[in-house]
Amino acid sequence: MTTRKGNGASIRTIRELTGISASELAQRVAIGRSYMSLIETGARQPATAKLRLIANALGTSIEAISYPVEVVYDEPGKVPA
């Protein structure tokens, strides 16, 4: 079982649900792929302006990615239906 929490969990979950790769999202937001990974894992918290860019690139609101969530996966790598 895999557990994700926080802003990074929201960003990664929405990204996966929309079918956008992490590399593509990083490119759309003009940041490095490694920095995007740090955001998604919760190791870095981007500024509000960067969160807005990420939300826009995902086609969602900043509230949707800013609200802390906990996502639990029964099977690692599988997005729940």
Side-chain angles (χ1 to χ4, degrees):
M1 182 178 338
T2 303
T3 302
R4 298 184 194 152
K5 295 182 180 181
N7 292 350
S10 299
I11 292 167
R12 185 170 180 184
T13 300
I14 293 168
R15 178 182 60 74
E16 289 174 343
L17 290 171
T18 57
I20 299 171
S21 72
S23 296
E24 183 179 346
L25 179 58
Q27 184 177 10
R28 289 181 184 186
V29 182
I31 62 174
R33 169 65 186 96
S34 59
Y35 185 59
M36 180 58 68
S37 177
L38 292 172
I39 292 170
E40 288 187 347
T41 61
R44 294 284 186 269
Q45 288 297 319
T48 303
K50 191 63 70 179
L51 284 174
R52 277 194 183 89
L53 290 173
I54 293 169
N56 288 340
L58 291 171
T60 191
S61 68
I62 191 170
E63 292 82 10
I65 64 171
S66 296
Y67 186 76
V69 298
E70 180 174 357
V71 179
V72 179
Y73 296 88
D74 290 330
E75 296 180 51
K78 296 228 177 185
V79 177

